Amino acid sequence: MTPESDPVDPIDQALAGLSGPAGLRLIATGDTPDDSTPWLAGATAEEARAWGGEAAQRSSAAPSPAVDLTRAEPALLPVALEGVLDQGYDGDVVVTAPTTAAPLLERAHAVSRAVRLTRRIVDARANQCPPPRFAEVAEALARTHGLGYRLSGPDRLRDLGMGGILAIGTGSTEPALMVELWSTPGRTPGDTPAPGSVALIGKGVTFDSGGLSLKPPAAQVGMHTDKAGAATVLGALSALAALDVPVPVHAVLPVVENLPGPGAVRPGDVVTTRNGLGVEIVDTDFEGRVIMADALAWAAEHRPRAVLDIATLTYQATIALGPSIGALIARDRALGAQVLAAAERSGEPLWGLPWAPRYADQVRSSAPGATVRNHPGTDTGRALTAALFLGAFVPEDLPWVHLDVAGPAVSGSGADARATGFGVRTLVELLRTWEPAR
């Protein structure tokens, strides 16, 4: 095989994407005349991004691609610029825009690079991005942006009492890991996350066969995308660092491969998690919530100001909302409203489902040594009971929101599944505009 025909490693692409392509070249023309009618007036952010992408596509046939945004609604300029950037041109696209667009272009670049980074990580196949390779990407991102970084392997996870992460990873020869990154704006990150950080937890299952509760073969195709939650947090962190967002952040990413190997956890096994709760693993294909339990409990110990998790967790969120809308379940209503507002401004559709403690008995376990179980024992309401399970690992005095993005994190299915980067923009917008009163 000649060097020219060597396949491109998607993880190398992801690492190269930390700096990003040339993207847009801005030509400032002065402010839009007061008597003009803005383009996109009354549009949503989602519509404005689509408009920017369509405008870029229309211009792509020209020798020098160019897009005119001089009359765009000012509040929608960033997402319109993101739409242009999302077309992925290798060279420059000339954008004519008001002088006020210069700082917005910087923001659009950072967000679009972050979305591309997330897509490349999620689209990498299981053999291209096993847990140790995922950790390498996270470490490279930390070096690039001056973030704190810590990697916990099986020995440390055992010392920390993280039986959930260890149990799900025991069926694979790849090690179960917990990746942590943190930012401390205004000073060096130090050896540990700062109290008062916003904690972000992302599900990182690099391949999900279902374990001993084995998925049918057709359902396993595309399961390399089950790391989308963790990849979304990585992407968001890269943008936050590039934009010098002043809110400290602590990311906790449990990363495992869920396989039915000789040491695999069995249906009915009981494991002890970081906060001391025993978990009955009724179904090994309900693995995401089990690894996130340890991560949530660990993040809570660092005294964050708020906790937000994101995961491709349940198919029932997709049944409820379709493939393009993410589910939000907020135990803290004020934080939930803040996340929904950030999602709307960033053009990512989220919809609130209820925090439903009336179903709490469905996640209680009667197994010896267990308090909760990872399967509700019913076919309905599983997105809600998944959130109830996770809530057992977040102290009630902490503001906490859960995002289930099983639908919008990926477009298509099976071999045609492609990552979208959904969630990156919402997280960046949330933290970029964080309300100090929270």
Side-chain angles (χ1 to χ4, degrees):
M1 182 177 287
T2 64
E4 290 76 19
S5 59
D6 285 342
V8 176
D9 185 332
I11 300 302
D12 287 341
Q13 277 190 329
L15 295 174
L18 293 177
S19 57
L24 302 188
R25 181 158 51 91
L26 185 69
I27 298 178
T29 61
D31 294 330
T32 304
D34 292 337
D35 60 351
S36 65
T37 301
W39 294 350
L40 307 174
T44 65
E46 188 177 4
E47 290 167 341
R49 181 179 298 109
W51 184 92
E54 291 165 3
Q57 287 179 334
R58 286 194 300 269
S59 74
S60 62
S64 299
V67 174
D68 185 350
L69 291 177
T70 51
R71 296 180 182 272
E73 180 77 31
L76 296 175
L77 261 175
V79 286
L81 289 166
E82 287 173 26
V84 178
L85 282 165
D86 282 350
Q87 300 308 306
Y89 291 108
D90 293 328
D92 287 346
V93 179
V94 176
V95 173
T96 306
T99 53
T100 53
L104 303 179
L105 178 62
E106 178 186 358
R107 190 168 106 207
H109 268 301
V111 172
S112 290
R113 282 197 297 266
V115 170
R116 284 196 296 272
L117 171 66
T118 295
R119 288 172 179 166
R120 286 169 177 165
I121 297 172
V122 176
D123 281 338
R125 274 22 185 193
N127 64 326
Q128 297 169 329
C129 189
R133 194 76 167 109
F134 184 97
E136 288 177 10
V137 178
E139 187 176 14
L141 188 148
R143 285 196 307 268
T144 298
H145 293 294
L147 304 175
Y149 174 79
R150 180 164 57 202
L151 178 63
S152 298
D155 290 342
R156 186 163 190 268
L157 293 175
R158 199 168 291 110
D159 292 341
L160 292 174
M162 294 190 170
I165 298 174
L166 287 168
I168 299 304
T170 53
S172 173
T173 57
E174 298 289 352
L177 304 174
M178 182 173 71
V179 174
E180 292 177 84
L181 302 97
W182 59 89
S183 65
T184 312
R187 61 184 178 89
T188 56
D191 297 328
T192 189
S197 298
V198 176
L200 301 178
I201 288 79
K203 174 186 170 184
V205 179
T206 62
F207 185 77
D208 181 20
S209 72
L212 289 177
S213 304
L214 197 65
K215 295 177 185 289
Q220 293 187 45
V221 180
M223 280 296 103
H224 59 279
T225 63
D226 213 15
K227 57 186 179 296
T232 298
V233 173
L234 279 189
L237 278 175
S238 71
L240 294 170
L243 295 174
D244 294 323
V245 171
V247 179
V249 176
H250 178 204
V252 185
L253 311 176
V255 187
V256 303
E257 189 174 55
N258 186 24
L259 294 180
V265 67
R266 295 154 294 209
D269 282 359
V270 174
V271 300
T272 303
T273 54
R274 172 66 189 178
N275 70 348
L277 284 184
V279 173
E280 179 188 7
I281 300 178
V282 176
D283 189 320
T284 66
D285 195 22
F286 283 45
E287 82 297 333
R289 66 201 68 185
V290 178
I291 65 172
M292 291 172 69
D294 279 329
L296 286 164
W298 179 247
E301 291 180 30
H302 290 77
R303 294 179 291 141
R305 69 180 75 181
V307 180
L308 190 147
D309 73 70
I310 182 167
T312 48
L313 203 61
T314 70
Y315 182 61
Q316 289 224 342
T318 308
I319 292 176
L321 299 173
S324 302
I325 302 174
L328 176 145
I329 299 177
R331 191 174 65 189
D332 182 275
R333 292 186 179 182
L335 180 59
Q338 194 173 342
V339 176
L340 285 171
E344 184 173 3
R345 291 193 303 271
S346 64
E348 292 190 321
L350 281 178
W351 192 261
L353 297 181
W355 171 249
R358 69 181 65 205
Y359 298 140
D361 62 326
Q362 295 183 21
V363 296
R364 295 192 186 109
S365 174
S366 60
T371 302
V372 292
R373 62 187 186 185
N374 77 328
H375 190 290
T378 178
D379 290 336
T380 61
R382 287 182 179 176
L384 308 185
T385 52
L388 292 172
F389 176 94
L390 295 175
F393 301 89
V394 184
E396 291 189 1
D397 61 341
L398 278 180
W400 166 63
V401 164
H402 162 61
L403 301 182
D404 190 337
V405 296
V410 176
S411 64
S413 61
D416 296 321
R418 293 294 180 271
T420 64
F422 185 94
V424 170
R425 296 180 174 99
T426 295
L427 295 182
V428 173
E429 179 66 14
L430 173 70
L431 291 158
R432 189 187 67 80
T433 60
W434 185 265
E435 299 173 13
R438 282 230 52 87

